[in-house]
Amino acid sequence: MNTVKIIQTARNTDDRLTEKGVYNLEKNKSAGVVLSIDPHKSYQKIVGFGGAFTEAAAYTFYKMNPAKRDEIIMKYFDPQAGIGYSMGRVHIHSCDFALENYTYVEENDRELKTFDISREDKWTIPMIKEAAKARKADITLLASPWSPPAWMKTNRDMNHGGQLLPEYREVWANYYVKYIKAARAKGLNICAVTVQNEPAAVQTWDSCIYSAEEEGAFVRDYLGPILEKEGLGDIKLYIWDHNRDIMVERAAGTLSDPETAKYVYGVANHWYVSEAFENLSKVHELYPDKHILFTEGCQEGGVHLGSWLTGERYGRNMIGDFNNWQEGWLDWNLILDENGGPNHVGNFCDAPIIADTTTQEIHYNSSYYYIGQFSKFVRPGALRIDVSTEGESSVQHVAFRNEDGSVVLIVMNESDNVQNLNAKLGDEYVWHALPAHSIATLVFNK
């Protein structure tokens, strides 16, 4: 007999990833919309979920006492007691969520003889190793640069945009190689890199501008060939790593050159500015052999303790993204302090877990639970599957089939009213009353 377990998070209740019960499927449906799941019609494979091991997150982590650190790591990375994160993002030298601008080489070292990532031994690498210990497996890591060293740039500044000087393209490509090899030597599972974080934005923090053609030329003439020459052809190379709003134009501007495209594994994207989820499908339709990965999103403007809108933003974006060929989801900072930092230019933001370094309290935002409704139940290797709707409803939904055969349906209600729904698998139904401002995960097992 088929059974379904329902897990729910809901506003104005105590439901936080709360198991509501295990139910038998019935032959008859009840009042409400019907969501028909077709596990045989599948789309993209899911690579996993995770967040960013920024220097700010790791620094904050080590300001907490050992018991609190154990709790934070367990709540993210333990597959049973936590929400099952399997991935992470790291920055190649500094980003805004670092304590300062820093690089791994001395000034004007064109030969990279002074290259040294030992700064990361203090906080970031130990935190990643704690995560792997909790997961009982490696954490799959994506690495991104925010800016080349100042001396390689037109503006001689790591911040405020600027561009990579042409004479340093080869040196900068070799810098990625040095980083990947050094990080792997320290036990980090670096599997992918993006060419540049947010290459269309002049930021007050670490940033560098590339046009689509410039990014493509750097990949085609330097980064792609040098990675291959150095025995790093297994590294998955993602372009763009910026917002959805113009990702179609950017992807086309880079991938239209087949000599560039052969080195590019996929297109990375962020959620700022736009919720034009259909742009992901447009990229997929243009380049069906390329992979689409979400690499950054957070609630801007400092800490938002107690906000339910934050969680709903995550849920809405994750459903919209996965229904449009997104393969994985990397949140921004895993944890931040009570101010939403540290951040070396005061660009404070929120995170799913806020760690108060003064009181030693851990705050779990609604975003933590909304992400968990996906990451705890949709395992790496799952396939997105088809869901069709019969009847009028404002319920948002997406479904997956895990490698063990279990089927996962995630449903979300942003409205002020209860939404009645019937989830149909085969010729059987399960009914659920989805509360106002809630998200639920239905796990079907034979």
Side-chain angles (χ1 to χ4, degrees):
M1 178 180 289
N2 289 326
T3 61
V4 58
K5 181 189 293 184
I6 300 179
I7 303 95
Q8 185 167 278
T9 293
R11 196 179 76 178
N12 298 331
T13 73
D14 293 329
D15 287 353
R16 300 292 184 273
L17 285 168
T18 301
E19 187 175 318
K20 304 304 289 182
V22 178
Y23 306 93
N24 293 327
L25 275 73
E26 306 286 349
K27 290 292 184 184
N28 298 315
K29 64 181 179 181
S30 300
V33 66
V34 176
L35 304 178
S36 295
I37 307 163
D38 183 351
H40 306 294
K41 187 175 183 182
S42 61
Y43 302 92
Q44 76 274 26
K45 182 181 285 189
I46 304 305
V47 296
F49 299 83
F53 293 92
T54 59
E55 184 175 71
Y59 175 78
T60 300
F61 180 72
Y62 285 104
K63 291 188 82 171
M64 303 300 283
N65 67 50
K68 299 293 186 180
R69 297 201 298 265
D70 287 348
E71 179 184 334
I72 290 164
I73 286 293
M74 179 268 292
K75 286 285 193 177
Y76 268 134
F77 294 95
D78 188 297
Q80 280 75 46
I83 59 172
Y85 272 10
S86 61
M87 300 174 66
R89 187 182 185 211
V90 288
H91 44 91
I92 298 175
H93 59 226
S94 64
C95 68
D96 51 329
F97 280 92
L99 304 186
E100 62 194 340
N101 290 130
Y102 68 89
T103 74
Y104 300 135
V105 292
E106 292 177 7
E107 189 88 2
N108 298 317
D109 177 12
R110 292 170 177 251
E111 296 180 8
L112 307 181
K113 287 182 177 178
T114 59
F115 193 91
D116 180 10
I117 69 165
S118 59
R119 179 181 177 118
E120 312 303 350
D121 291 332
K122 191 167 186 180
W123 299 300
T124 307
I125 291 174
M127 186 183 181
I128 294 168
K129 292 193 172 180
E130 287 294 317
K133 186 178 171 184
R135 187 180 177 239
K136 300 183 176 63
D138 274 349
I139 306 299
T140 301
L141 295 170
L142 170 132
S144 302
W146 266 243
S147 171
W151 52 272
M152 293 188 192
K153 295 175 66 184
T154 55
N155 65 343
R156 305 291 174 174
D157 184 357
M158 289 187 77
N159 305 330
H160 308 105
Q163 293 171 289
L164 177 65
L165 287 163
E167 61 264 35
Y168 290 114
R169 288 172 187 159
E170 185 175 359
V171 179
W172 183 226
N174 280 312
Y175 200 103
Y176 295 67
V177 169
K178 290 272 193 184
Y179 174 80
I180 294 162
K181 289 184 175 180
R184 284 182 167 181
K186 290 177 181 288
L188 302 191
N189 186 26
I190 307 289
C191 293
V193 298
T194 65
V195 179
Q196 168 66 42
N197 177 74
E198 300 187 344
V202 175
Q203 310 282 24
T204 58
W205 56 86
D206 320 59
S207 46
C208 184
I209 302 302
Y210 292 81
S211 69
E213 294 73 22
E214 287 165 344
E215 186 176 12
F218 177 60
V219 168
R220 181 192 65 221
D221 300 335
Y222 297 96
L223 187 57
I226 286 172
L227 286 171
E228 286 200 350
K229 173 172 159 278
E230 293 291 333
L232 296 174
D234 62 313
I235 291 289
K236 296 176 173 68
L237 188 59
Y238 288 88
I239 59 166
W240 187 222
D241 202 13
H242 206 165
N243 299 332
R244 302 184 191 100
D245 57 340
I246 59 169
M247 70 182 288
V248 181
E249 300 95 307
R250 284 292 301 221
T254 302
L255 297 175
S256 57
D257 176 9
E259 290 304 305
T260 300
K262 70 181 182 183
Y263 294 113
V264 175
Y265 183 79
V267 183
N269 58 98
H270 300 178
W271 79 8
Y272 312 107
V273 177
S274 165
E275 291 190 359
F277 306 117
E278 66 276 7
N279 285 348
L280 279 67
S281 281
K282 290 175 183 175
V283 170
H284 173 76
E285 287 157 15
L286 285 170
Y287 306 102
D289 61 323
K290 301 306 179 190
H291 303 263
I292 303 175
L293 182 68
F294 184 84
T295 49
E296 187 186 316
C298 73
Q299 187 65 37
E300 311 92 326
V303 174
H304 298 261
L305 289 187
S307 168
W308 203 258
L309 291 175
T310 305
E312 292 188 326
R313 183 183 185 187
Y314 275 82
R316 184 174 64 250
N317 276 265
M318 294 173 88
I319 290 170
D321 277 345
F322 286 121
N323 279 324
N324 287 278
W325 299 94
Q326 197 89 268
E327 294 183 351
W329 232 80
L330 284 163
D331 186 32
W332 190 207
N333 298 278
L334 286 163
I335 61 169
L336 291 172
D337 68 16
E338 60 276 14
N339 300 310
N343 182 292
H344 72 85
V345 294
N347 179 38
F348 299 124
C349 293
D350 203 7
I353 295 180
I354 295 295
D356 192 316
T357 58
T358 304
T359 66
Q360 294 291 298
E361 288 179 277
I362 300 173
H363 301 279
Y364 295 91
N365 279 322
S366 59
S367 48
Y368 170 83
Y369 298 102
Y370 270 73
I371 296 169
Q373 294 278 164
F374 295 80
S375 61
K376 190 174 176 68
F377 307 104
V378 180
R379 307 310 304 143
L383 294 173
R384 177 171 68 92
I385 54 177
D386 197 63
V387 185
S388 57
T389 306
E390 303 167 27
E392 290 295 318
S393 173
S394 59
V395 172
Q396 300 170 59
H397 52 77
V398 65
F400 306 87
R401 186 183 74 242
N402 283 315
E403 289 180 321
D404 65 4
S406 62
V407 169
V408 177
L409 173 67
I410 297 163
V411 289
M412 178 174 154
N413 178 13
E414 282 192 84
S415 79
D416 294 330
N417 304 306
V418 174
Q419 298 288 318
N420 295 324
L421 62 92
N422 298 272
K424 182 183 181 186
L425 185 62
D427 59 357
E428 295 183 312
Y429 302 85
V430 64
W431 180 84
H432 184 60
L434 190 60
H437 297 284
S438 71
I439 186 169
T441 305
L442 285 70
V443 182
F444 298 81
N445 289 291
K446 290 185 178 178

